Amino acid sequence: MGESSLGVLVVAFVAAATIGIGLVGVRYARTTSDFFVASRTISPIWNASAIGGEYLSAASFLGIAGLLMSSGVDMLWYPVGYAAGYLVLLVLIAAPLRRSGAYTLPDFAESRLGSLAVRRCATVLVILIGWLYLVPQLQGAGLTLRTATGAPPWAGGLVVCVVVLLAVVSGGMRSVTFVQAFQYWLKLCALLLPALFLVAVFRIHAGPSVTNDASPTVPRATHVTVPADVTVRLRGTETVVVDGVLDGTPRHGRVVIGPGRHTLTAGAHVTLPAGAEVPVRVDLPSLTNREWAIPSVARGGGRDGLSMYATYSLILATFLGTMGLPHV
């Protein structure tokens, strides 16, 4: 069985399990309270699992991994700020909202302030923020499905929308809670098992130091197909195999490329030999192993000279931003 077929089976299993678990809530959804708040009868364990499933969204599951890989361990401040803001949101916002008996934030705002204008303003903000939050989730779904199965980018968003609509319309918040709890344990295993495996492999086969001043290199011959026109840069000189257009010239075979910027067109195939420097997109920072692995504060200052200020600003921004997410 090929990787694409296996990916299709895995995605189909997760989608079927999600829909099946969501249908469990159908027999309980009889009143407005059942549909919107599951009659407030969800146990703490199920609620905690659902909250964890909501937190481990595509933005955090894929986005943080991508930021960390491209920009170094400084990006770990993002999940620190998210986690702190999430806890405060649950304590200071979600708990009073639950005690108020309101179903939505606009309901809560109107009941507290007695203003229809405030309710309308809160409604617009909830829709706007929810839409801005939804876009990267759909983008992540498309990227994940394309990577796993080779499907077109739009297919992932379509699949997610269909599965979510079936779960929500069929059983309301009880179905959503069960589905999110299931996804939490699924994603936790998807994160924890590979992490334990990588730690074990690293302990047995210790690789080269990642805190030296060299540029990152590929450990073995690596083949890359360029999905879109891209400009990359190199610090040194490398001999690679190119089948496509490089710097405006068709190439078919070995090419020596020097330091600086180089442009590859969509569809080009590039093979990097073992030990070759990893080309970096020009819009991403070009970091040595040491710059990537050690926080800028620990290095005695960041590239912008404001590392401490930037770090605290980032934590505060993510902290307050998470508190403002209305979908929770």
Side-chain angles (χ1 to χ4, degrees), residues 3-300:
E3 292 184 2
S4 180
S5 300
L6 181 60
V8 171
L9 287 178
V10 171
V11 171
F13 167 77
V14 174
T18 299
I19 295 174
I21 294 172
L23 291 176
V24 172
V26 173
R27 40 184 188 167
Y28 298 103
R30 296 292 182 267
T31 66
T32 301
S33 181
D34 288 335
F35 192 85
F36 283 112
V37 292
S39 295
R40 307 187 191 277
T41 58
I42 302 297
S43 69
I45 293 179
W46 280 105
N47 252 331
S49 297
I51 289 170
E54 176 72 12
Y55 182 74
L56 291 175
S57 62
S60 56
F61 196 81
L62 299 177
I64 295 300
L67 283 173
L68 183 63
M69 185 174 67
S70 64
S71 302
V73 297
D74 278 323
M75 298 299 103
L76 288 174
W77 290 119
Y78 277 97
V80 169
Y82 294 155
Y86 209 86
L87 292 174
V88 176
L89 181 150
L90 294 176
V91 173
L92 300 183
I93 298 178
L97 181 65
R98 184 182 187 278
R99 291 192 297 268
S100 73
Y103 291 129
T104 65
L105 284 176
D107 289 341
F108 179 74
E110 184 182 24
S111 65
R112 277 295 182 90
L113 302 175
S115 171
L116 185 60
V118 171
R119 177 190 177 91
R120 290 171 177 168
C121 180
T123 301
V124 172
L125 290 175
V126 166
I127 295 174
L128 176 62
I129 295 173
W131 174 253
L132 293 176
Y133 192 85
L134 182 63
V135 169
Q137 309 302 329
L138 297 178
Q139 176 73 11
L143 175 63
T144 302
L145 192 65
R146 185 182 67 181
T147 302
T149 67
W154 55 265
L158 179 62
V159 169
V160 168
C161 289
V162 171
V163 171
V164 171
L165 283 175
L166 287 174
V168 173
V169 173
S170 61
M173 188 54 66
R174 191 181 302 273
S175 294
V176 172
T177 301
F178 289 157
V179 166
Q180 288 183 330
F182 161 72
Q183 291 181 348
Y184 165 73
W185 291 105
L186 180 67
K187 286 183 279 192
L188 182 64
C189 292
L191 286 170
L192 186 60
L193 294 179
L196 294 176
F197 178 77
L198 289 173
V199 169
V201 171
F202 182 79
R203 297 276 299 190
I204 297 173
H205 305 286
S209 172
V210 293
T211 59
N212 55 40
D213 290 321
S215 298
T217 59
V218 294
R220 61 185 64 86
T222 303
H223 179 77
V224 178
T225 298
V226 180
D229 293 354
V230 63
T231 300
V232 299
R233 62 171 172 263
L234 286 174
R235 294 191 178 194
T237 301
E238 298 290 346
T239 300
V240 300
V241 178
V242 179
D243 185 9
V245 179
L246 170 66
D247 294 332
T249 304
R251 303 282 189 174
H252 303 283
R254 292 183 177 276
V255 179
V256 178
I257 52 178
R261 298 188 175 194
H262 302 277
T263 301
L264 290 160
T265 58
H269 301 278
V270 181
T271 301
L272 303 172
E277 177 187 344
V278 177
V280 179
R281 275 176 24 192
V282 293
D283 57 332
L284 296 176
S286 181
L287 305 176
T288 64
N289 291 330
R290 184 174 183 274
E291 290 171 336
W292 182 91
I294 300 177
S296 58
V297 175
R299 297 198 306 267

